[in-house]
Amino acid sequence: MAARRSGAALLLGALLAGCAVGGGLPPSAPIAPAREGELTAADGSGLATSIWQADAPQAILLALHGYGDYGPSTFSAAGVFWAGQGITTIAYDQRGFGRNPSRGIWPGAEALIADLKGVVAQLRARHPCLPLIVLGHSMGGGVVLAAGPDLARGALADGMVLAAPAIWGGAELNPFHRLAAWGAAAMVPERRFTGEGVVRIQASDNIDALRALGRDPLYLSPPSAREIFGLVRVVDRAEAAADEAALPTLLLTGEKDQILPRRAVRRVFDRLPGSNRTIEYTDGWHLLFRDLQAERVWSDVVQWILARPGPACDS
């Protein structure tokens, strides 16, 4: 009887927590306003920002990293390459990650999406006459697509690049996986899952890059149950946005990606309106911008971006 009462109490607690499962945690310190050179989050805090400036920029590229990562970790080599091709690249560390004081505090899907929309508006105001492209890798791709309808309606961006994107939400997400993630987040939200005892997943063929990530004190791993279900919320928001994200979009995937369910991603991507293109790399893994063939990916991004028309501006 006591066991039954205990189980019922746990279940009731999970049900009562349902609305908050995967949601953001409150900040543990006062909000620090943006400093010089930083972009500003939706809550007014600063976002650690890296810029690779082109000498005579032909376009602006805003790049979002994936879960656990941060701006220069994902884009430092690519950013130098893109700047040399006339594309000024800007990457901020998403709230809760990287060099931000909020590192390790999950902000929630809504906050990540709101931050992106606010940052794009800031960059459009600073560069009103240059094409502005928003690129997202993995979780960053999910955030980009989720914001896509608002970016299109407000003419805030001129295109999107989704690289190995986390966009397979809604009906495309295995319901058993969803239930397991929800249950863990409701019962043990702060427990972190190391992956020990499960099938090992390789993210790239660039072993040196993988070792560097493992040594990087700013790389956030492993995820908590709260964050895992928070990522479910991101992919759900991305899938729900697909029909209204009316911006030219480039999808980049790798055939050797062990994380991305490519068929589900492609079904979501095929719903996007407008003129879109897909490039699939035979030797591509999940970390497309750091794989051994990364320079090919960088070059394809350049060619696609420089073919985009910019906003209409008075001469």
Side-chain angles (χ1 to χ4, degrees):
M1 182 67 70
R4 287 184 181 178
R5 285 198 297 267
S6 177
L10 285 172
L11 178 59
L12 178 60
L15 292 172
L16 292 174
C19 61
V21 170
L25 288 166
S28 59
I31 292 174
R35 296 173 294 184
E36 184 177 357
E38 289 186 335
L39 293 162
T40 304
D43 67 350
S45 63
L47 296 167
T49 305
S50 298
I51 301 176
W52 295 271
Q53 180 69 48
D55 290 337
Q58 302 174 55
I60 304 297
L61 175 62
L62 174 63
L64 263 68
H65 62 81
Y67 174 84
D69 224 327
Y70 59 103
S73 170
T74 303
F75 300 112
S76 58
V80 171
F81 181 89
W82 290 330
Q85 302 298 313
I87 299 171
T88 290
T89 302
I90 302 168
Y92 68 88
D93 297 0
Q94 297 194 71
R95 211 188 317 177
F97 298 95
R99 299 161 292 174
N100 295 317
S102 59
R103 179 184 177 277
I105 302 173
W106 175 248
E110 297 298 331
L112 295 173
I113 296 164
D115 287 349
L116 173 61
K117 291 190 288 188
V119 165
V120 173
Q122 293 167 49
L123 294 181
R124 179 59 99 193
R126 296 178 191 178
H127 309 281
C129 296
L130 285 173
L132 174 56
I133 307 300
V134 185
L135 178 154
H137 174 251
S138 197
M139 181 190 81
V143 174
V144 168
L145 181 54
D150 288 330
L151 300 183
R153 282 191 290 266
L156 293 174
D158 301 296
M160 301 184 294
V161 178
L162 306 178
I167 63 174
W168 60 95
E172 298 294 345
L173 183 64
N174 185 310
F176 296 103
H177 294 168
R178 180 189 299 278
L179 181 60
W182 182 89
M187 298 290 191
V188 286
E190 307 313 324
R191 179 180 173 185
R192 294 194 173 271
F193 293 86
T194 64
E196 292 181 4
V198 300
V199 176
R200 301 292 295 178
I201 293 175
Q202 185 171 330
S204 177
D205 58 351
N206 187 338
I207 304 305
D208 288 341
L210 295 178
R211 288 171 176 163
L213 276 181
R215 296 190 299 266
D216 191 337
L218 293 180
Y219 185 75
L220 186 63
S221 182
S224 68
R226 177 192 299 276
E227 291 160 350
I228 291 171
F229 196 73
L231 291 171
V232 170
R233 288 185 164 190
V234 170
V235 298
D236 281 344
R237 285 293 306 272
E239 183 274 339
D243 296 320
E244 298 181 21
L247 286 171
T249 305
L250 173 64
L251 173 66
L252 306 174
T253 63
E255 287 188 10
K256 295 185 177 180
D257 193 325
Q258 298 179 9
I259 297 171
L260 188 76
R262 295 198 314 279
R263 291 182 181 178
V265 165
R266 186 58 190 264
R267 285 192 293 268
V268 174
F269 179 78
D270 286 345
R271 289 166 39 201
L272 270 66
S275 175
N276 305 314
R277 183 186 177 197
T278 299
I279 302 177
E280 185 167 88
Y281 300 96
T282 303
D283 295 321
W285 297 69
H286 190 67
L287 302 184
L288 288 169
F289 301 113
R290 285 167 286 191
D291 289 347
L292 295 181
Q293 61 143 29
E295 191 164 338
R296 179 183 168 194
V297 181
W298 306 342
S299 296
D300 287 339
V301 170
V302 168
Q303 292 177 22
W304 189 84
I305 289 177
L306 295 184
R308 300 300 102 209
C313 281
D314 297 331
S315 57

